[in-house]
Amino acid sequence: MLLTPATAASALLGALPDPVLRLTGEGGVAWLNPAARERLGEPGPGGWPGLFSPETAGLLADAAAQVRGGVPEVRRSVGLPGSLAPALATLTPDGEGGVLLHLRDSRHPLEVAEELMDGLGLGLLVQAEDGRVLQANAAGQRLLDLSLAQMTGAAPADTRWHVVSAAGERLSPEDLPTRAAQQTGEAQRDVLLGVALPGEAGGTRWLNVTALPRHIPGTRQAKQVTTVFADVTREQTLRRELERSEQRYRSLVEATSQIVWTTAADGTFGGPQPDWTAFTGQQEAEYAGVGWLAALHPDDRASAEVAWAHASATRSLYQTEYRLRRADGTYLPMLARGVPVLAPGGQVREWVGVNQDLSAVRAAEEHLRALNAELEGRVAGRTRELAELTRFSTLLLTAAGEGIFGLDRRGHTTFANPAAARLLGYSIERLIGAEQHALIHHHHADGEVFPVGECPIHQTLQDGQPRRCEEDVFWHAGGHPVPVSYVVSPTRGAAGEVSGAVVMFQDVSERQRARAELEAAVRDLERSNAELEQFAYVASHDLQEPLRTLGSYAELLARRYHGQLDDRADQYLGFMVEAVGRMRGLIQDLLGFARVGRAGGTGAVPTAVSLDGALRQAGGNVLALLEATGGELTWDAPQTVRGHPGLLVQLLTNLIGNGLKFHREGTAPRVRVTAVVEGTEVLIRVTDNGIGIAPEYHERVFAIFQRLNPRETYPGNGMGLAICRKIAEAHGGRLTLTSTPGEGTTFELRLPLWREGA
């Protein structure tokens, strides 16, 4: 159906949200859309001027007269009933002697702000420079339990109404954030205040308050302060309950453990550790980071680090035993346990742990048994505390990513957390009450039946000893095995008898898959390297025989027919002999490069190698080069490293010779060798004052047959540094360089430090 222009215009006017009217002579008016009637209402006896204030009616009458006088369009800013903000009035002729009036109604920003704040449940309060309340939204009046009249002083308020600080202290008007914002001109954000409610509700309503000053233009002086506040009573109550629960939990831990400690998310000690200091005598500067390892027996440090690295990587229970040095120097056996505290997003926030003196376990158990009767009489008084602790434990079990389930003495499941149900594919209801071994632990990974008597979990139920199993399988509800590692800890009754066990387990499928892939890659790489080294060795060895024959005949031709042919023939024979010599040198270098790889697989045992002795031999090897260049070689390296003497002498000879050979024109070469110990390594620096190497070639120079300079200027085959790096890596070390073109080069060589018994 086609719309006529009149129908289309009528539909458009009806859809407009702004009022549209037709003004005629002597106050006549016609509504052109529903918005006009809804916004302005019905006119009185005086016609359309009665819809507006006298001032607005006068402005509109004057504008209408201008339109009737021939002005095509007149706009005026006018006020509308019930609106703080001005409206835009547009008057145009209607073509029939009347005037069309279009009103675009706007809203005052304060009205919009109040409506938005009310919708969000946020209080809004506007105060003048002298502290008088100018405006307050409905939510603000409700949160403060005061009417706008009471705030402005027009009506009396209950004298018991007052404001308190976060600590509960009563505050005067001078102490409020609004006064601070007014006096300083700075915003006061997120201030926690309490409003004491004297009415029927009573109690204290806690508010998060932000006071924002509105400055006089060009100054820091506040002419108004806008205060926004939100009700945080529930959050404050929950926070205080959580703090009390956490304090109760920490007090319980401290009361039942000898040493309590906390670490950062990365496992490093930080901040005061009073229990640790009291026992070991270590101060904060000593145990900070990983300095706490120094208090462990030297033979136990490595295993403690491995256990910690595993727990940190898997975010699982940290449990290990080691000997800890007391402040008097005595080592005592300790059981160390730690658990990660997770943030809502699953990230580790910190670690909380305890150290228990195992030498006192039996005495403590006897003491606990003696106290059992007394504790029974206090059970009623501790019901509330135990309920809180149970709630906290339930939260921990629910949030844990590891599967956890408990067993009674018969091996039946007594509880299971959601992670256990998810990893095993059963509902928690199906797990609870079921015989654990028959349900999830009945067969080995290869399908062989797993007798319950051989099960580590049920062995713990029998002898009460904790156990850790790194590789086992539980059976999923879907019928497939789930690779797991688990820790089983016994639980005991009032008399000390084994009453059950708690099992914490992890799915290690990804870890096993990654380990298998890594082992396969290592095997492939080792086989590939061995084949390449064998090929290089055989190829370079077999090439020497035909080259030796070619060189012999070339030299024979050069000697026998020298001068008998023309000059060009003698020159060609010379080129042939020279090329054979270069080829022989390349093959020898390639053979030496291959021998380095073969030497690592010969089974030769590394020995203690004195760097000073090795440098003396290397100095003798480059003596001719020192004399030819007028160079200088010095060293200061008293350390002893672990390696093969012959290969290390070759390595040092090549590095020193490299520095002597690539010297600057007109400058005598100087090579300096120094060494320092860094942990379990010796860092050796070979520094020269030669031509240097541009940054883009720092790695390229270590590739075989790589030359950066013409052979005529600096002789060589480009194999020396490749052999050097291969020797370093064969010793478990590294070889890198730093260099500035035109100033010199420093090679940094890291080799393992020799240690007796290592």
Side-chain angles (χ1 to χ4, degrees):
M1 180 180 71
L2 296 176
L3 293 176
T4 65
T7 303
S10 177
L12 178 61
L13 286 172
L16 281 178
D18 299 332
V20 182
L21 307 86
R22 176 183 289 113
L23 307 181
T24 61
E26 299 180 357
V29 61
W31 308 121
L32 297 185
N33 65 349
R37 192 179 303 275
E38 293 173 3
R39 180 66 180 86
L40 300 175
E42 296 294 340
W48 65 263
L51 299 172
F52 307 98
S53 67
E55 180 182 1
T56 298
L59 289 173
L60 293 177
D62 179 65
Q66 293 183 47
V67 171
R68 292 189 184 97
V71 178
E73 180 180 276
V74 178
R75 295 187 178 186
R76 291 289 185 268
S77 178
V78 299
L80 294 182
S83 180
L84 295 176
L88 176 63
T90 302
L91 295 89
T92 58
D94 65 354
E96 298 178 1
V99 176
L100 293 178
L101 171 61
H102 172 247
L103 296 171
R104 175 166 295 176
D105 195 3
S106 61
R107 302 179 65 195
H108 194 277
L110 187 56
E111 291 182 89
V112 177
E114 286 188 7
E115 183 178 324
L116 177 61
M117 292 295 186
D118 285 333
L120 294 175
L122 299 176
L124 176 68
L125 189 68
V126 180
Q127 292 175 266
E129 183 179 4
D130 58 2
R132 290 180 297 106
V133 175
L134 302 177
Q135 188 68 25
N137 68 339
Q141 298 175 49
R142 177 180 55 80
L143 292 177
L144 295 177
D145 201 26
L146 294 173
S147 66
L148 182 59
Q150 289 174 319
M151 295 183 199
T152 59
D158 194 318
T159 57
R160 293 173 295 169
W161 188 97
H162 62 277
V163 180
V164 298
S165 67
E169 300 173 350
R170 187 163 182 162
L171 300 178
S172 68
E174 296 296 327
D175 300 324
L176 297 180
T178 52
R179 185 59 57 87
Q182 182 184 41
Q183 293 176 346
T184 65
E186 300 290 339
Q188 309 295 311
R189 301 182 185 276
D190 299 323
V191 180
L192 181 64
L193 296 178
V195 176
L197 304 176
E200 294 182 2
T204 301
R205 177 174 291 146
W206 292 99
L207 304 175
N208 183 288
V209 180
T210 295
L212 304 171
R214 182 180 177 189
H215 300 101
I216 297 175
T219 71
R220 295 297 296 171
Q221 182 179 353
K223 65 177 181 179
Q224 283 185 356
V225 176
T226 300
T227 305
V228 180
F229 44 95
D231 187 351
V232 293
T233 305
R234 184 172 180 273
E235 291 82 350
Q236 181 70 1
T237 303
L238 291 175
R239 183 181 298 109
R240 291 187 174 181
E241 290 179 357
L242 180 61
E243 289 174 353
R244 287 195 295 270
S245 175
E246 182 179 358
Q247 183 60 39
R248 186 179 298 113
Y249 169 71
R250 289 187 179 274
S251 299
L252 177 64
V253 172
E254 292 174 359
T256 56
S257 303
Q258 185 171 1
I259 304 175
V260 180
W261 45 264
T262 60
T263 76
D266 61 0
T268 57
F269 268 15
Q273 306 287 338
D275 287 354
W276 186 271
T277 298
F279 186 86
T280 66
Q282 280 189 321
Q283 300 303 314
E284 185 173 350
E286 296 176 286
Y287 62 65
V290 294
W292 58 273
L293 285 170
L296 274 59
H297 193 283
D299 294 342
D300 298 340
R301 294 171 187 170
S303 60
E305 285 190 282
V306 170
W308 179 256
H310 171 74
S312 180
T314 59
R315 296 191 299 180
S316 60
L317 173 69
Y318 167 64
Q319 179 170 305
T320 188
E321 294 183 14
Y322 51 67
R323 287 162 288 179
L324 186 63
R325 186 184 65 234
R326 200 165 55 192
D328 61 4
T330 304
Y331 285 97
L332 296 180
M334 288 283 174
L335 174 62
R337 290 179 178 176
V339 294
V341 178
L342 302 180
Q347 306 90 345
V348 176
R349 187 172 61 201
E350 63 176 348
W351 289 78
V352 178
V354 296
N355 276 30
Q356 183 179 7
D357 184 353
L358 296 180
S359 64
V361 169
R362 292 183 179 178
E365 289 177 347
E366 291 296 328
H367 183 62
L368 288 174
R369 282 193 289 269
L371 291 176
N372 186 63
E374 179 185 353
L375 291 175
E376 289 292 336
R378 299 169 58 187
V379 167
R382 296 294 301 274
T383 300
R384 183 173 301 174
E385 287 80 1
L386 290 176
E388 287 293 321
L389 183 60
T390 300
R391 185 180 68 85
F392 187 75
S393 300
T394 302
L395 290 174
L396 288 178
L397 286 175
T398 303
E402 295 79 12
I404 304 173
F405 58 84
L407 303 175
D408 62 15
R409 189 71 175 81
R410 299 173 303 159
H412 289 207
T413 304
T414 57
F415 71 87
N417 71 339
R422 174 176 50 80
L423 293 172
L424 297 174
Y426 291 100
S427 66
I428 294 179
E429 292 76 10
R430 177 67 181 89
L431 290 171
I432 293 177
E435 184 180 354
Q436 175 267 348
H437 189 80
L439 184 65
I440 67 169
H441 208 192
H442 42 75
H443 284 75
H444 291 287
D446 59 1
E448 181 183 358
V449 175
F450 197 170
V452 68
E454 299 175 6
C455 171
I457 298 174
H458 281 258
Q459 289 173 358
T460 293
L461 291 174
Q462 298 301 316
D463 60 18
Q465 297 298 315
R467 287 177 171 81
R468 174 185 293 274
C469 184
E470 294 296 338
E471 291 191 2
D472 203 344
V473 297
F474 289 162
W475 288 85
H476 193 273
H480 60 83
V482 179
V484 295
S485 67
Y486 58 83
V487 174
V488 53
S489 303
T491 58
R492 299 185 181 276
E497 77 281 6
V498 176
S499 60
V502 175
V503 180
M504 179 180 290
F505 69 94
Q506 284 184 301
D507 184 345
V508 296
S509 302
E510 290 299 324
R511 187 171 69 190
Q512 289 184 350
R513 186 179 301 110
R515 183 174 62 189
E517 292 175 355
L518 178 61
E519 290 174 352
V522 170
R523 287 194 300 270
D524 290 341
L525 184 60
E526 290 175 346
R527 182 176 61 253
S528 176
N529 285 342
E531 292 172 354
L532 287 173
E533 290 171 356
Q534 181 66 19
F535 171 77
Y537 182 81
V538 171
S540 58
H541 185 274
D542 292 345
L543 285 173
Q544 290 189 89
E545 182 59 32
L547 184 64
R548 191 179 298 112
T549 301
L550 178 62
S552 298
Y553 280 110
E555 292 173 357
L556 183 61
L557 284 171
R559 288 196 304 269
R560 177 170 296 181
Y561 296 103
H562 181 71
Q564 299 182 28
L565 304 173
D566 59 14
D567 293 338
R568 180 164 295 180
D570 291 342
Q571 184 181 22
Y572 290 167
L573 286 172
F575 289 161
M576 184 183 299
V577 172
E578 182 181 352
V580 168
R582 287 201 305 272
M583 188 63 181
R584 184 179 293 115
L586 287 172
I587 292 175
Q588 289 295 332
D589 286 345
L590 182 60
L591 187 58
F593 186 76
R595 285 196 182 108
V596 173
R598 292 168 61 85
T602 60
V605 178
T607 62
V609 180
S610 166
L611 286 178
D612 185 80
L615 285 166
R616 291 184 185 279
Q617 294 184 51
N621 293 341
V622 299
L623 184 60
L625 190 54
L626 284 168
E627 293 175 351
T629 60
E632 177 184 76
L633 170 63
T634 59
W635 66 82
D636 180 16
Q639 295 83 1
T640 299
V641 297
R642 184 172 179 267
H644 301 280
L647 292 177
L648 292 182
V649 170
Q650 181 183 359
L651 169 58
L652 293 171
T653 299
N654 283 355
L655 292 179
I656 295 169
N658 197 78
L660 295 173
K661 180 170 63 174
F662 294 95
H663 65 275
R664 287 175 284 165
E665 185 71 25
T667 301
R670 294 193 307 275
V671 178
R672 172 70 174 169
V673 183
T674 59
V676 294
V677 176
E678 291 188 354
T680 59
E681 296 181 327
V682 176
L683 173 59
I684 304 166
R685 290 188 174 91
V686 181
T687 303
D688 63 55
N689 64 338
I691 61 176
I693 303 171
E696 60 267 28
Y697 300 118
H698 284 187
E699 277 302 314
R700 177 178 167 184
V701 296
F702 292 105
I704 62 174
F705 301 126
Q706 292 296 316
R707 294 181 51 83
L708 305 183
N709 299 283
R711 193 185 314 277
E712 295 79 5
T713 306
Y714 298 99
N717 296 319
M719 289 287 290
L721 292 179
I723 293 175
C724 288
R725 173 167 280 186
K726 194 165 187 181
I727 293 174
E729 292 174 348
H731 283 76
R734 301 184 300 280
L735 178 61
T736 59
L737 68 84
T738 58
S739 181
T740 301
E743 296 181 11
T745 301
T746 296
F747 288 92
E748 293 189 350
L749 169 65
R750 294 181 180 272
L751 295 174
L753 177 67
W754 172 262
R755 296 191 179 194
E756 287 292 340

